[in-house]
């Protein structure tokens, strides 16, 4: 029994070690690419990846989920850095992490599962569209205009501004990424993102191609601890709104990712409140270091599960490998062409657009497609926070409309008058239908209104029904007075 136990521990250890190396190879180019797409130094993406492994990876919550900088927050981070400056990023991420810790302590993690799936998919679609639109410029070493609409409008004049050598490098990286990913056996041994970036770097370095490369400085030189003056930015309304957006969107993405990862394995399920606190602790540390915000990332998490990970040791070790790599051989990053990383992010952005889900929803839930589409368009036209608010408001309105069914039945009892029964949910959304049915009743007949079949009556409908009854009584009184006058 003892030998079997030792053998089992060794097998788990080997599986976790191999999985950690796979996740490290997937995370390395993505950490750098997400940082560049967010408009910050590449090292800050690596710092977030390291914290995701060494801090969030140790804490309880989800055992196999891997955290780090995510493509889903690039748009929001880019806007925040452009609006408030890089020096404000640390305090924003720190405050967002503290908000997440508070939400987890209040046991609100499970409530993120109640958010409309259409809103989440619309959020991802909007992020994906803006991300792709921005990274298409980076594919050709061209500067991207600000704003989602500006990026889309600028695509018309882009062909005249691109560097065709860089575009060839980025396009070839995307082809390698797609082809290698289809070879399942090869992709299990060496991740497709690493192959694509390694080949692009080798060709660029070997032929000394004149393309933009990743700029690298010391890892700790890029770290900036927030100062007291930076904390004062939290009194600004715009900064507070950005903090809330960071906290809510990072939490939602992490917990939705946890639900997806749980479906990939048969092990221990995620404790959503603890996972939210783990994400909050990780973001608080990232904020202290002035790095990017982190979320749980489905790409790395799925790679971790598929590589055979058994425990949280794999995600902790992936952070160790990131730390050792950036400490020992940081100069290797300087040979990576930016166009190759842009190719990775274009591929990642396309995956965020839920084409298959839209087709499925269109067959049976077209209202959900409307919510998804409006959310995505609002993000492209406005920003991420506004787009999500628009999507949530539309989802609530759609749900209210669907559940507020009112059925009006009339029964003519001859000389006894007319009995009207109202059933269902009487809300302001169905008020016109309800009043039209009541106003159509004969004015010269006695009417008895029965509301016992109503499950819910809001204030607007209650007031309208009282007003209708009072008006009908006044009309009956006037008719009675007229009849009495004519008899006299």
């Amino acid at each position: 029994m003892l030998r079997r136990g030792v053998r089992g521990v060794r097998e788990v250890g080997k599986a976790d070690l191999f999985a950690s190396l796979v996740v490290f190879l997937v995370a390395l180019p993505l950490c750098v690419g997400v940082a560049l797409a967010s408009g910050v130094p590449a090292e800050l993406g690596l710092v977030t990846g390291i914290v995701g492994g060494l801090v969030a990876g140790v804490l309880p919550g989800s055992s196999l989920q891997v955290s780090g900088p995510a493509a889903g927050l690039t748009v929001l981070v880019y806007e925040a850095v452009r609006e408030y400056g890089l020096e404000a990023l640390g305090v924003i991420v720190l405050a967002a992490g503290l908000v997440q810790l508070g939400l987890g302590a209040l046991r609100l993690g499970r409530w993120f599962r109640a958010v409309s799936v259409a809103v989440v998919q619309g959020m991802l679609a909007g992020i994906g569209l803006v991300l792709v639109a921005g990274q298409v410029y980076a594919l050709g070493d061209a500067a991207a205009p600000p704003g989602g609409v500006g990026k889309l409008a600028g695509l018309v004049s882009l062909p005249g501004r691109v560097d065709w050598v860089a575009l060839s490098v980025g396009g070839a990286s995307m082809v390698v990424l797609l082809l290698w990913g289809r070879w399942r056996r090869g992709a299990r041994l060496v991740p497709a993102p690493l192959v694509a970036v390694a080949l692009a770097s080798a060709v660029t370095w070997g032929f000394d191609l004149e393309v933009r490369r990743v700029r690298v400085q010391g890892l700790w030189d890029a770290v900036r601890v927030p100062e007291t003056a930076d904390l004062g930015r939290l009194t600004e309304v715009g900064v507070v709104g950005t903090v809330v957006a960071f906290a809510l969107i990072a939490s939602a993405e992490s917990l939705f990712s946890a639900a997806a990862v749980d479906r990939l394995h048969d092990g221990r399920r995620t404790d959503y409140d603890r996972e939210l606190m783990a994400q909050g602790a990780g973001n608080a540390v990232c904020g202290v270091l002035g790095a990017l915000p982190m979320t749980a990332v489905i790409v790395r998490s799925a790679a971790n599960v598929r590589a055979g990970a058994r425990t949280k040791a794999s995600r902790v070790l992936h952070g160790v490998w990131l730390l050792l790599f950036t400490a020992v051989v940081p100069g290797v990053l300087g040979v990576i062409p930016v166009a190759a990383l842009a190719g990775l992010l274009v591929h990642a952005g396309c995956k965020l657009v839920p084409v298959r889900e839209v087709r499925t929803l269109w067959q049976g839930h077209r209202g959900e497609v409307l919510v998804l589409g409006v959310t995505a368009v609002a993000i492209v036209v406005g920003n991420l926070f506004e787009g999500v608010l628009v999507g949530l408001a539309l989802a609530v309105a759609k749900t209210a409309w669907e559940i507020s069914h009112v059925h009006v039945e009339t029964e003519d009892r001859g000389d006894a008058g007319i009995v009207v029964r109202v059933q269902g949910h009487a809300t302001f959304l169905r008020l016109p239908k309800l009043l039209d049915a009541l106003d159509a009743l004969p004015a010269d007949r006695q009417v008895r209104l029965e509301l016992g079949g109503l499950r819910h009556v809001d204030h607007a409908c209650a007031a309208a029904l009282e007003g209708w009854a009072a008006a009908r009584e006044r009309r009956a009184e006037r008719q009675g007075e007229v009849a009495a006058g004519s008899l006299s």
Side-chain angles (χ1 to χ4, degrees), residues 192-214:
L194 180 67
V195 175
V197 172
L199 287 177
S201 302
V203 171
T204 302
W205 178 76
F207 290 93
D208 195 21
L209 300 179
E210 295 294 331
V211 297
R212 189 158 61 101
R213 293 178 172 83
V214 176

Side-chain angles (χ1 to χ4, degrees), residues 46 50 218-220 320-331 333:
L46 292 168
I50 293 168
L219 184 66
W220 300 115
V320 174
W321 307 141
L322 283 173
L323 178 60
L324 291 176
F325 180 88
T326 52
V328 177
V329 285
L333 297 175

Side-chain angles (χ1 to χ4, degrees), residues 231-252:
L231 296 175
R233 302 295 299 272
L234 293 175
T235 59
E236 300 177 20
V237 176
V239 173
V240 172
T242 303
V243 168
V244 173
F246 270 47
L248 296 183
I249 294 173
S251 301

